[in-house]
Amino acid sequence: MSTKREIAQRAKCDRAVSHLIDKGINFLALDFDQTVIDIHTGGRFNGAVSELASHVRPIFSNLINAAHEAGIKLAIVTFSPQVEQIQEVLETHFSFAHEIIIRGRDRSWQYEGSGMKDGKQPFLASAVEEFHTKFTDLHIEKNTTLLVDDDPNNIKLALKDGVRGILFNPKKSNNLLIDILKMP
């Protein structure tokens, strides 16, 4: 049974996702460490997947569910090489985890396009290429993409490249929904 607080947060996430849809966002890219989860693994987490999964922030669990239900494509973009563990964490929280693309530093992919190669930009571009391969009628552009990341440099580079971005404050996670609703 959900608490009143959980129901209220889900309703706020639904409003935030509606705002994203109104602003034309069809691709939501999320950093993992210190963003989706409330710790920084440094790409070297050695504990059980259940332990790591316990660090998923409720706000992201709700936001990811709401975005998926609204048809927004989702990706985790991370400098961590622990993509398999991240996939397992997602599987513990989301029945649709197999639909979330993960781009990490695991050498399982490469981006050879002509776009920016700095920050998370090649991670985003590679994820978009995969979505375009799977969904030929889908049109993800830089201005229909939102990156949420706790690293100001990644957000700065995204904005410089024409991608929308929100700097996530790990100490004030609930401000994320306010920041989304403020997006022009």
Side-chain angles (χ1 to χ4, degrees), residues 3-42:
T3 66
K4 286 183 182 182
R5 184 179 175 160
E6 291 168 337
I7 292 168
Q9 186 176 72
R10 177 55 199 251
K12 288 178 184 177
C13 284
D14 288 342
R15 283 193 303 279
V17 167
S18 284
H19 185 72
L20 292 177
I21 297 290
D22 290 346
K23 297 302 174 185
I25 299 298
N26 63 359
F27 175 40
L28 180 59
L30 305 169
D31 176 46
F32 192 70
D33 288 8
Q34 283 293 81
T35 303
V36 172
I37 60 172
D38 62 9
I39 61 172
H40 200 293
T41 68

mmCIF file of all heavy atoms in Angstrom, residues 3-42:
data_model
loop_
_atom_site.group_PDB
_atom_site.id
_atom_site.type_symbol
_atom_site.label_atom_id
_atom_site.label_comp_id
_atom_site.label_asym_id
_atom_site.label_seq_id
_atom_site.Cartn_x
_atom_site.Cartn_y
_atom_site.Cartn_z
ATOM 1 N N THR A 3 1.894 5.143 0.601
ATOM 2 C CA THR A 3 1.606 6.187 1.570
ATOM 3 C C THR A 3 1.134 7.432 0.838
ATOM 4 O O THR A 3 1.296 7.564 -0.385
ATOM 5 C CB THR A 3 2.863 6.536 2.380
ATOM 6 O OG1 THR A 3 3.831 7.121 1.503
ATOM 7 C CG2 THR A 3 3.450 5.307 3.060
ATOM 8 N N LYS A 4 0.570 8.368 1.588
ATOM 9 C CA LYS A 4 0.128 9.630 0.990
ATOM 10 C C LYS A 4 1.296 10.356 0.346
ATOM 11 O O LYS A 4 1.160 10.950 -0.723
ATOM 12 C CB LYS A 4 -0.528 10.521 2.051
ATOM 13 C CG LYS A 4 -1.902 10.068 2.463
ATOM 14 C CD LYS A 4 -2.506 11.044 3.454
ATOM 15 C CE LYS A 4 -3.872 10.559 3.890
ATOM 16 N NZ LYS A 4 -4.515 11.492 4.814
ATOM 17 N N ARG A 5 2.444 10.275 1.005
ATOM 18 C CA ARG A 5 3.641 10.943 0.472
ATOM 19 C C ARG A 5 4.055 10.337 -0.877
ATOM 20 O O ARG A 5 4.396 11.048 -1.808
ATOM 21 C CB ARG A 5 4.774 10.840 1.482
ATOM 22 C CG ARG A 5 6.019 11.560 1.083
ATOM 23 C CD ARG A 5 7.084 11.443 2.143
ATOM 24 N NE ARG A 5 8.297 12.056 1.672
ATOM 25 C CZ ARG A 5 9.265 12.459 2.435
ATOM 26 N NH1 ARG A 5 9.163 12.327 3.745
ATOM 27 N NH2 ARG A 5 10.334 12.989 1.936
ATOM 28 N N GLU A 6 4.027 8.995 -0.958
ATOM 29 C CA GLU A 6 4.384 8.311 -2.213
ATOM 30 C C GLU A 6 3.395 8.652 -3.324
ATOM 31 O O GLU A 6 3.798 8.876 -4.474
ATOM 32 C CB GLU A 6 4.432 6.800 -1.996
ATOM 33 C CG GLU A 6 5.592 6.349 -1.129
ATOM 34 C CD GLU A 6 5.480 4.901 -0.679
ATOM 35 O OE1 GLU A 6 4.356 4.345 -0.643
ATOM 36 O OE2 GLU A 6 6.522 4.329 -0.342
ATOM 37 N N ILE A 7 2.126 8.698 -2.979
ATOM 38 C CA ILE A 7 1.092 9.044 -3.968
ATOM 39 C C ILE A 7 1.280 10.477 -4.437
ATOM 40 O O ILE A 7 1.190 10.772 -5.633
ATOM 41 C CB ILE A 7 -0.318 8.817 -3.375
ATOM 42 C CG1 ILE A 7 -0.557 7.318 -3.151
ATOM 43 C CG2 ILE A 7 -1.391 9.423 -4.273
ATOM 44 C CD1 ILE A 7 -1.768 6.991 -2.317
ATOM 45 N N ALA A 8 1.592 11.378 -3.509
ATOM 46 C CA ALA A 8 1.819 12.781 -3.873
ATOM 47 C C ALA A 8 3.038 12.923 -4.768
ATOM 48 O O ALA A 8 3.015 13.685 -5.751
ATOM 49 C CB ALA A 8 1.971 13.636 -2.616
ATOM 50 N N GLN A 9 4.120 12.193 -4.453
ATOM 51 C CA GLN A 9 5.319 12.292 -5.285
ATOM 52 C C GLN A 9 5.052 11.736 -6.682
ATOM 53 O O GLN A 9 5.499 12.301 -7.673
ATOM 54 C CB GLN A 9 6.503 11.573 -4.650
ATOM 55 C CG GLN A 9 7.785 11.800 -5.455
ATOM 56 C CD GLN A 9 8.994 11.184 -4.823
ATOM 57 O OE1 GLN A 9 9.127 9.957 -4.823
ATOM 58 N NE2 GLN A 9 9.861 12.019 -4.287
ATOM 59 N N ARG A 10 4.302 10.652 -6.778
ATOM 60 C CA ARG A 10 3.977 10.095 -8.095
ATOM 61 C C ARG A 10 3.144 11.096 -8.897
ATOM 62 O O ARG A 10 3.367 11.280 -10.099
ATOM 63 C CB ARG A 10 3.248 8.758 -7.956
ATOM 64 C CG ARG A 10 2.826 8.149 -9.274
ATOM 65 C CD ARG A 10 4.024 7.991 -10.234
ATOM 66 N NE ARG A 10 3.574 7.828 -11.590
ATOM 67 C CZ ARG A 10 3.653 6.704 -12.273
ATOM 68 N NH1 ARG A 10 4.174 5.631 -11.741
ATOM 69 N NH2 ARG A 10 3.215 6.661 -13.505
ATOM 70 N N ALA A 11 2.218 11.770 -8.241
ATOM 71 C CA ALA A 11 1.408 12.782 -8.935
ATOM 72 C C ALA A 11 2.285 13.932 -9.428
ATOM 73 O O ALA A 11 2.100 14.431 -10.541
ATOM 74 C CB ALA A 11 0.306 13.299 -8.012
ATOM 75 N N LYS A 12 3.262 14.336 -8.611
ATOM 76 C CA LYS A 12 4.196 15.397 -9.038
ATOM 77 C C LYS A 12 5.033 14.928 -10.222
ATOM 78 O O LYS A 12 5.296 15.699 -11.142
ATOM 79 C CB LYS A 12 5.103 15.812 -7.876
ATOM 80 C CG LYS A 12 4.395 16.599 -6.793
ATOM 81 C CD LYS A 12 5.355 16.922 -5.654
ATOM 82 C CE LYS A 12 4.640 17.613 -4.514
ATOM 83 N NZ LYS A 12 5.545 17.868 -3.384
ATOM 84 N N CYS A 13 5.462 13.677 -10.197
ATOM 85 C CA CYS A 13 6.228 13.131 -11.321
ATOM 86 C C CYS A 13 5.374 13.099 -12.589
ATOM 87 O O CYS A 13 5.862 13.418 -13.674
ATOM 88 C CB CYS A 13 6.750 11.740 -10.992
ATOM 89 S SG CYS A 13 8.160 11.754 -9.865
ATOM 90 N N ASP A 14 4.106 12.727 -12.439
ATOM 91 C CA ASP A 14 3.201 12.725 -13.592
ATOM 92 C C ASP A 14 3.071 14.131 -14.181
ATOM 93 O O ASP A 14 3.083 14.305 -15.401
ATOM 94 C CB ASP A 14 1.825 12.191 -13.207
ATOM 95 C CG ASP A 14 1.817 10.684 -12.954
ATOM 96 O OD1 ASP A 14 2.760 9.982 -13.392
ATOM 97 O OD2 ASP A 14 0.859 10.212 -12.310
ATOM 98 N N ARG A 15 2.960 15.147 -13.306
ATOM 99 C CA ARG A 15 2.875 16.539 -13.793
ATOM 100 C C ARG A 15 4.171 16.948 -14.484
ATOM 101 O O ARG A 15 4.153 17.605 -15.520
ATOM 102 C CB ARG A 15 2.563 17.499 -12.649
ATOM 103 C CG ARG A 15 1.098 17.486 -12.225
ATOM 104 C CD ARG A 15 0.724 18.650 -11.329
ATOM 105 N NE ARG A 15 1.503 18.764 -10.117
ATOM 106 C CZ ARG A 15 1.293 18.065 -8.998
ATOM 107 N NH1 ARG A 15 0.312 17.189 -8.952
ATOM 108 N NH2 ARG A 15 2.041 18.254 -7.941
ATOM 109 N N ALA A 16 5.308 16.550 -13.910
ATOM 110 C CA ALA A 16 6.606 16.880 -14.508
ATOM 111 C C ALA A 16 6.735 16.236 -15.888
ATOM 112 O O ALA A 16 7.189 16.877 -16.841
ATOM 113 C CB ALA A 16 7.741 16.441 -13.589
ATOM 114 N N VAL A 17 6.324 14.991 -16.007
ATOM 115 C CA VAL A 17 6.397 14.301 -17.300
ATOM 116 C C VAL A 17 5.441 14.946 -18.301
ATOM 117 O O VAL A 17 5.796 15.108 -19.474
ATOM 118 C CB VAL A 17 6.142 12.792 -17.136
ATOM 119 C CG1 VAL A 17 5.888 12.119 -18.477
ATOM 120 C CG2 VAL A 17 7.329 12.141 -16.428
ATOM 121 N N SER A 18 4.274 15.343 -17.865
ATOM 122 C CA SER A 18 3.350 16.066 -18.759
ATOM 123 C C SER A 18 4.001 17.340 -19.279
ATOM 124 O O SER A 18 3.859 17.686 -20.454
ATOM 125 C CB SER A 18 2.050 16.423 -18.039
ATOM 126 O OG SER A 18 1.245 15.304 -17.918
ATOM 127 N N HIS A 19 4.721 18.021 -18.401
ATOM 128 C CA HIS A 19 5.435 19.237 -18.805
ATOM 129 C C HIS A 19 6.516 18.896 -19.835
ATOM 130 O O HIS A 19 6.686 19.625 -20.823
ATOM 131 C CB HIS A 19 6.039 19.940 -17.588
ATOM 132 C CG HIS A 19 6.677 21.244 -17.903
ATOM 133 N ND1 HIS A 19 5.951 22.374 -18.219
ATOM 134 C CD2 HIS A 19 7.980 21.605 -17.978
ATOM 135 C CE1 HIS A 19 6.779 23.369 -18.463
ATOM 136 N NE2 HIS A 19 8.033 22.921 -18.320
ATOM 137 N N LEU A 20 7.245 17.804 -19.612
ATOM 138 C CA LEU A 20 8.262 17.387 -20.579
ATOM 139 C C LEU A 20 7.630 17.123 -21.946
ATOM 140 O O LEU A 20 8.163 17.556 -22.975
ATOM 141 C CB LEU A 20 8.997 16.132 -20.090
ATOM 142 C CG LEU A 20 9.894 16.298 -18.863
ATOM 143 C CD1 LEU A 20 10.497 14.951 -18.474
ATOM 144 C CD2 LEU A 20 10.984 17.327 -19.105
ATOM 145 N N ILE A 21 6.519 16.431 -21.945
ATOM 146 C CA ILE A 21 5.811 16.145 -23.202
ATOM 147 C C ILE A 21 5.398 17.460 -23.867
ATOM 148 O O ILE A 21 5.584 17.649 -25.074
ATOM 149 C CB ILE A 21 4.569 15.257 -22.946
ATOM 150 C CG1 ILE A 21 4.984 13.890 -22.392
ATOM 151 C CG2 ILE A 21 3.714 15.131 -24.199
ATOM 152 C CD1 ILE A 21 5.693 12.971 -23.340
ATOM 153 N N ASP A 22 4.844 18.393 -23.080
ATOM 154 C CA ASP A 22 4.442 19.699 -23.616
ATOM 155 C C ASP A 22 5.619 20.448 -24.228
ATOM 156 O O ASP A 22 5.450 21.215 -25.180
ATOM 157 C CB ASP A 22 3.805 20.571 -22.529
ATOM 158 C CG ASP A 22 2.447 20.076 -22.088
ATOM 159 O OD1 ASP A 22 1.860 19.210 -22.784
ATOM 160 O OD2 ASP A 22 1.972 20.535 -21.025
ATOM 161 N N LYS A 23 6.804 20.235 -23.686
ATOM 162 C CA LYS A 23 8.009 20.906 -24.183
ATOM 163 C C LYS A 23 8.692 20.129 -25.304
ATOM 164 O O LYS A 23 9.762 20.504 -25.768
ATOM 165 C CB LYS A 23 9.003 21.164 -23.035
ATOM 166 C CG LYS A 23 8.457 22.105 -21.971
ATOM 167 C CD LYS A 23 8.088 23.437 -22.601
ATOM 168 C CE LYS A 23 7.412 24.360 -21.628
ATOM 169 N NZ LYS A 23 6.957 25.593 -22.248
ATOM 170 N N GLY A 24 8.093 19.017 -25.711
ATOM 171 C CA GLY A 24 8.618 18.254 -26.838
ATOM 172 C C GLY A 24 9.695 17.246 -26.498
ATOM 173 O O GLY A 24 10.341 16.698 -27.396
ATOM 174 N N ILE A 25 9.895 16.963 -25.220
ATOM 175 C CA ILE A 25 10.919 15.988 -24.822
ATOM 176 C C ILE A 25 10.405 14.574 -25.103
ATOM 177 O O ILE A 25 9.329 14.192 -24.647
ATOM 178 C CB ILE A 25 11.282 16.133 -23.320
ATOM 179 C CG1 ILE A 25 11.845 17.519 -23.021
ATOM 180 C CG2 ILE A 25 12.255 15.028 -22.888
ATOM 181 C CD1 ILE A 25 13.130 17.860 -23.741
ATOM 182 N N ASN A 26 11.189 13.812 -25.875
ATOM 183 C CA ASN A 26 10.837 12.417 -26.127
ATOM 184 C C ASN A 26 11.968 11.455 -25.750
ATOM 185 O O ASN A 26 11.872 10.261 -25.971
ATOM 186 C CB ASN A 26 10.403 12.198 -27.569
ATOM 187 C CG ASN A 26 11.491 12.489 -28.587
ATOM 188 O OD1 ASN A 26 12.600 12.891 -28.243
ATOM 189 N ND2 ASN A 26 11.163 12.309 -29.849
ATOM 190 N N PHE A 27 13.051 12.012 -25.194
ATOM 191 C CA PHE A 27 14.190 11.199 -24.768
ATOM 192 C C PHE A 27 14.752 11.786 -23.480
ATOM 193 O O PHE A 27 15.156 12.940 -23.437
ATOM 194 C CB PHE A 27 15.258 11.167 -25.862
ATOM 195 C CG PHE A 27 16.540 10.463 -25.484
ATOM 196 C CD1 PHE A 27 16.536 9.294 -24.743
ATOM 197 C CD2 PHE A 27 17.757 10.980 -25.879
ATOM 198 C CE1 PHE A 27 17.723 8.651 -24.398
ATOM 199 C CE2 PHE A 27 18.955 10.347 -25.550
ATOM 200 C CZ PHE A 27 18.928 9.185 -24.805
ATOM 201 N N LEU A 28 14.748 10.960 -22.425
ATOM 202 C CA LEU A 28 15.239 11.358 -21.115
ATOM 203 C C LEU A 28 16.477 10.526 -20.796
ATOM 204 O O LEU A 28 16.405 9.298 -20.702
ATOM 205 C CB LEU A 28 14.155 11.136 -20.060
ATOM 206 C CG LEU A 28 14.477 11.488 -18.616
ATOM 207 C CD1 LEU A 28 14.866 12.955 -18.465
ATOM 208 C CD2 LEU A 28 13.278 11.156 -17.718
ATOM 209 N N ALA A 29 17.619 11.194 -20.683
ATOM 210 C CA ALA A 29 18.887 10.543 -20.373
ATOM 211 C C ALA A 29 19.268 10.897 -18.943
ATOM 212 O O ALA A 29 19.306 12.071 -18.576
ATOM 213 C CB ALA A 29 19.966 10.994 -21.351
ATOM 214 N N LEU A 30 19.554 9.879 -18.158
ATOM 215 C CA LEU A 30 19.827 10.067 -16.738
ATOM 216 C C LEU A 30 21.204 9.535 -16.366
ATOM 217 O O LEU A 30 21.566 8.413 -16.749
ATOM 218 C CB LEU A 30 18.775 9.319 -15.905
ATOM 219 C CG LEU A 30 17.314 9.667 -16.189
ATOM 220 C CD1 LEU A 30 16.389 8.670 -15.500
ATOM 221 C CD2 LEU A 30 17.008 11.087 -15.763
ATOM 222 N N ASP A 31 21.943 10.336 -15.609
ATOM 223 C CA ASP A 31 23.175 9.865 -15.010
ATOM 224 C C ASP A 31 22.795 8.846 -13.936
ATOM 225 O O ASP A 31 21.668 8.853 -13.424
ATOM 226 C CB ASP A 31 23.925 11.062 -14.399
ATOM 227 C CG ASP A 31 25.183 10.658 -13.670
ATOM 228 O OD1 ASP A 31 25.957 9.850 -14.222
ATOM 229 O OD2 ASP A 31 25.399 11.138 -12.542
ATOM 230 N N PHE A 32 23.731 7.977 -13.573
ATOM 231 C CA PHE A 32 23.426 6.949 -12.579
ATOM 232 C C PHE A 32 23.947 7.320 -11.195
ATOM 233 O O PHE A 32 23.168 7.605 -10.281
ATOM 234 C CB PHE A 32 23.983 5.590 -13.036
ATOM 235 C CG PHE A 32 23.470 4.437 -12.228
ATOM 236 C CD1 PHE A 32 22.141 4.040 -12.333
ATOM 237 C CD2 PHE A 32 24.298 3.736 -11.372
ATOM 238 C CE1 PHE A 32 21.657 2.976 -11.590
ATOM 239 C CE2 PHE A 32 23.831 2.663 -10.627
ATOM 240 C CZ PHE A 32 22.508 2.279 -10.739
ATOM 241 N N ASP A 33 25.274 7.344 -11.013
ATOM 242 C CA ASP A 33 25.861 7.616 -9.702
ATOM 243 C C ASP A 33 25.536 9.036 -9.234
ATOM 244 O O ASP A 33 25.710 9.993 -9.989
ATOM 245 C CB ASP A 33 27.383 7.454 -9.747
ATOM 246 C CG ASP A 33 27.833 6.000 -9.852
ATOM 247 O OD1 ASP A 33 26.980 5.119 -10.045
ATOM 248 O OD2 ASP A 33 29.047 5.758 -9.748
ATOM 249 N N GLN A 34 25.079 9.143 -8.016
ATOM 250 C CA GLN A 34 24.720 10.423 -7.376
ATOM 251 C C GLN A 34 23.523 11.095 -8.043
ATOM 252 O O GLN A 34 23.229 12.239 -7.752
ATOM 253 C CB GLN A 34 25.897 11.405 -7.345
ATOM 254 C CG GLN A 34 26.919 11.113 -6.291
ATOM 255 C CD GLN A 34 26.387 11.300 -4.878
ATOM 256 O OE1 GLN A 34 25.734 10.438 -4.337
ATOM 257 N NE2 GLN A 34 26.676 12.418 -4.276
ATOM 258 N N THR A 35 22.859 10.381 -8.934
ATOM 259 C CA THR A 35 21.664 10.931 -9.566
ATOM 260 C C THR A 35 20.549 9.904 -9.385
ATOM 261 O O THR A 35 19.791 10.023 -8.434
ATOM 262 C CB THR A 35 21.938 11.285 -11.054
ATOM 263 O OG1 THR A 35 23.034 12.202 -11.116
ATOM 264 C CG2 THR A 35 20.728 11.938 -11.701
ATOM 265 N N VAL A 36 20.469 8.890 -10.233
ATOM 266 C CA VAL A 36 19.446 7.864 -10.047
ATOM 267 C C VAL A 36 19.639 7.172 -8.698
ATOM 268 O O VAL A 36 18.674 6.908 -7.988
ATOM 269 C CB VAL A 36 19.456 6.838 -11.205
ATOM 270 C CG1 VAL A 36 18.532 5.663 -10.905
ATOM 271 C CG2 VAL A 36 19.044 7.516 -12.513
ATOM 272 N N ILE A 37 20.888 6.911 -8.339
ATOM 273 C CA ILE A 37 21.155 6.344 -7.015
ATOM 274 C C ILE A 37 21.770 7.418 -6.121
ATOM 275 O O ILE A 37 22.319 8.403 -6.617
ATOM 276 C CB ILE A 37 22.056 5.089 -7.073
ATOM 277 C CG1 ILE A 37 23.428 5.390 -7.691
ATOM 278 C CG2 ILE A 37 21.349 3.956 -7.806
ATOM 279 C CD1 ILE A 37 24.419 4.240 -7.600
ATOM 280 N N ASP A 38 21.669 7.205 -4.825
ATOM 281 C CA ASP A 38 22.096 8.239 -3.871
ATOM 282 C C ASP A 38 23.525 8.062 -3.368
ATOM 283 O O ASP A 38 23.908 8.637 -2.350
ATOM 284 C CB ASP A 38 21.117 8.314 -2.697
ATOM 285 C CG ASP A 38 21.029 7.024 -1.889
ATOM 286 O OD1 ASP A 38 21.845 6.096 -2.115
ATOM 287 O OD2 ASP A 38 20.131 6.942 -1.031
ATOM 288 N N ILE A 39 24.317 7.251 -4.058
ATOM 289 C CA ILE A 39 25.727 7.091 -3.730
ATOM 290 C C ILE A 39 26.547 7.203 -5.010
ATOM 291 O O ILE A 39 25.991 7.156 -6.110
ATOM 292 C CB ILE A 39 26.026 5.720 -3.051
ATOM 293 C CG1 ILE A 39 25.652 4.555 -3.973
ATOM 294 C CG2 ILE A 39 25.335 5.623 -1.705
ATOM 295 C CD1 ILE A 39 26.094 3.191 -3.462
ATOM 296 N N HIS A 40 27.850 7.350 -4.840
ATOM 297 C CA HIS A 40 28.765 7.343 -5.985
ATOM 298 C C HIS A 40 29.625 6.091 -5.876
ATOM 299 O O HIS A 40 30.377 5.932 -4.923
ATOM 300 C CB HIS A 40 29.639 8.592 -6.016
ATOM 301 C CG HIS A 40 30.201 8.844 -7.369
ATOM 302 N ND1 HIS A 40 31.126 8.005 -7.951
ATOM 303 C CD2 HIS A 40 29.940 9.815 -8.273
ATOM 304 C CE1 HIS A 40 31.419 8.467 -9.156
ATOM 305 N NE2 HIS A 40 30.717 9.553 -9.377
ATOM 306 N N THR A 41 29.501 5.207 -6.853
ATOM 307 C CA THR A 41 30.224 3.933 -6.795
ATOM 308 C C THR A 41 31.645 4.049 -7.319
ATOM 309 O O THR A 41 32.453 3.151 -7.074
ATOM 310 C CB THR A 41 29.513 2.858 -7.625
ATOM 311 O OG1 THR A 41 29.603 3.200 -9.016
ATOM 312 C CG2 THR A 41 28.062 2.698 -7.207
ATOM 313 N N GLY A 42 31.934 5.100 -8.054
ATOM 314 C CA GLY A 42 33.249 5.217 -8.671
ATOM 315 C C GLY A 42 33.498 4.119 -9.693
ATOM 316 O O GLY A 42 34.630 3.868 -10.075
#
